[in-house]
Amino acid sequence: MSDQPSAVAPPTGVEPDLAHHGDAEATAGLIDLAVNVRRARPPAWLADPIAATLADLARYPDPAPARAAVAARHRRHPNEVLLTAGAAEGFVLVAQALRGVHRPVVVHPQFTEPEAALRAAGHLVERVLLDAADDFRLDPSRVPTDADLVMIGNPTNPTSVLHPAQTVAALARPGRVLVVDEAFADTTIATGHPGEPESLAERRDLPGLLVVRSLTKTWGLAGLRIGYLLGAPELLSRLAAVQPLWAVSTPALAAASACASAVAVQAERAIAADLVADREHLVARLTELPGVRVVGRPASAFVLLHLPGATAIRAALRERGWAVRRGDTFPGLGPDWLRVAVRDRNTTDAFIDVLRETMEA
């Protein structure tokens, strides 16, 4: 093994609960700031095709049309797309299909399912822990050179950090599979950039690149389970070999086709633009509160904040009817971190009032 100190084996003490997710916090009756799924009703161009499939559920799903639509959206060939039952299934396929890797590394803090899937498949996972003092920015040199599987999120959940594409691309090399979780890429936007800034979804020149995408966040389809992988055909064929038959349902396939359309992409860009103002309002209101620190420049549909005593405050918020995401289940964070979803300004203002009262109680 390399003696590079930046990648560390899982600690022997109390481990974060990798199976904990925001939906466990957003119980009935609470105002949900714990789950990063947009709550707006699906538009007709999305809801109608999904509903239309209900009359044809006796037929086995045919993924070919949806795969072609997704490929066209990302300027790829259909054999460079693998449709999955949500992004989470993609991580399981990686873990199961790539059992031969000898040094898998996960860059944290990030979504915990990639590591959980690797562990469940018997992999010994190492972690590179990014530093809050450096705004959780990625330094590719911290990843061991002999790591043959590297997993990272961009933008990263829960930090909301958007790493430069060239920085993430620097992790790619022959003999390594680089898995980039872009589940929230469609929430990002940049002035003068017509698409998703820093996305690698259209890159075909990087060896071993595997991009994981989700359609559940912006379009509120978490219950439908639809996502996809983008990569070289030979890599995707290895993953497809361990995927169950008909893994993606007919309604989910209809959603994939609809969300890959020009109408959908235009709507997605408009939603991302509106999100900027709502996110900036949330950050501005949070920074008014003494002791609350928002790390870095959030770029997605959620904000990570550091707040001493966050465990007790989160419990008190629940008693007052608000759900926020605990941070201690993410490797590299701890009990003084909370993740808060971006909502409309009225919801944010009401939340800040309750948070202030809770902190002062």
Side-chain angles (χ1 to χ4, degrees):
M1 268 195 166
S2 168
D3 61 358
Q4 296 185 48
S6 54
V8 296
T12 56
V14 178
E15 274 286 275
D17 180 5
L18 301 181
H20 183 87
H21 298 295
D23 59 331
E25 318 242 15
T27 51
L30 299 182
I31 300 173
D32 176 19
L33 303 185
V35 177
N36 299 323
V37 173
R38 185 167 165 268
R39 296 298 185 179
R41 188 179 183 88
W45 57 258
L46 174 56
D48 290 350
I50 295 173
T53 67
L54 299 181
D56 197 30
L57 293 184
R59 188 191 307 271
Y60 283 95
D62 177 10
R67 187 166 57 237
V70 170
R73 187 252 160 99
H74 294 292
R75 306 176 191 275
R76 285 181 171 267
H77 190 276
N79 66 4
E80 296 175 309
V81 176
L82 180 63
L83 299 165
T84 59
E89 190 200 17
F91 302 128
V92 173
L93 297 181
V94 169
Q96 295 293 334
L98 304 183
R99 288 178 177 270
V101 299
H102 76 279
R103 195 171 190 185
V105 171
V106 179
V107 180
H108 284 291
Q110 76 148 306
F111 185 47
T112 54
E113 280 303 307
E115 180 171 328
L118 289 171
R119 287 194 185 193
H123 296 276
L124 179 61
V125 181
E126 295 181 69
R127 296 172 181 161
V128 168
L129 302 179
L130 303 185
D131 189 354
D134 194 32
D135 292 338
F136 296 113
R137 286 180 292 192
L138 172 66
D139 177 358
S141 69
R142 297 189 59 203
V143 176
T145 56
D146 62 341
D148 50 358
L149 173 61
V150 177
M151 307 184 84
I152 185 171
N154 201 37
T156 304
N157 172 19
T159 65
S160 203
V161 170
L162 182 62
H163 303 295
Q166 64 182 19
T167 303
V168 179
L171 292 172
R173 62 190 61 196
R176 169 185 290 175
V177 175
L178 171 61
V179 180
V180 183
D181 176 9
E182 292 192 358
F184 291 96
D186 62 356
T187 68
T188 63
I189 197 166
T191 302
H193 194 293
E196 302 164 344
E198 318 308 341
S199 172
L200 298 179
E202 295 185 7
R203 293 287 296 270
R204 306 172 72 187
D205 60 313
L206 298 175
L209 175 65
L210 188 65
V211 176
V212 182
R213 302 282 299 209
S214 171
L215 297 174
T216 66
K217 314 303 182 185
T218 291
W219 300 118
L221 300 177
L224 195 60
R225 310 309 308 141
I226 178 63
Y228 52 91
L229 308 177
L230 303 170
E234 57 271 21
L235 178 56
L236 291 185
S237 66
R238 295 175 63 185
L239 273 59
V242 299
Q243 186 179 36
L245 289 173
W246 308 295
V248 182
S249 70
T250 299
L253 293 172
S257 293
C259 291
S261 68
V263 170
V265 174
Q266 183 178 11
E268 168 199 294
R269 295 293 81 210
I271 292 169
D274 291 340
L275 178 64
V276 172
D278 289 337
R279 183 176 61 242
E280 289 179 348
H281 182 71
L282 172 61
V283 171
R285 294 304 313 276
L286 285 169
T287 55
E288 294 173 359
L289 303 178
V292 175
R293 179 168 66 99
V294 177
V295 178
R297 296 180 57 189
S300 191
F302 47 90
V303 170
L304 181 67
L305 57 96
H306 184 267
L307 174 60
T311 299
I313 290 173
R314 180 174 59 84
L317 286 170
R318 290 186 65 83
E319 293 179 358
R320 293 169 178 251
W322 294 82
V324 295
R325 175 66 159 87
R326 60 192 285 195
D328 62 324
T329 65
F330 294 100
L333 299 182
D336 290 335
W337 294 89
L338 296 173
R339 192 192 69 196
V340 178
V342 177
R343 302 295 190 221
D344 64 88
R345 294 189 179 198
N346 289 337
T347 301
T348 289
D349 288 340
F351 169 68
I352 295 298
D353 290 342
V354 174
L355 178 58
R356 178 184 288 107
E357 293 169 1
T358 302
M359 294 172 61
E360 293 174 350

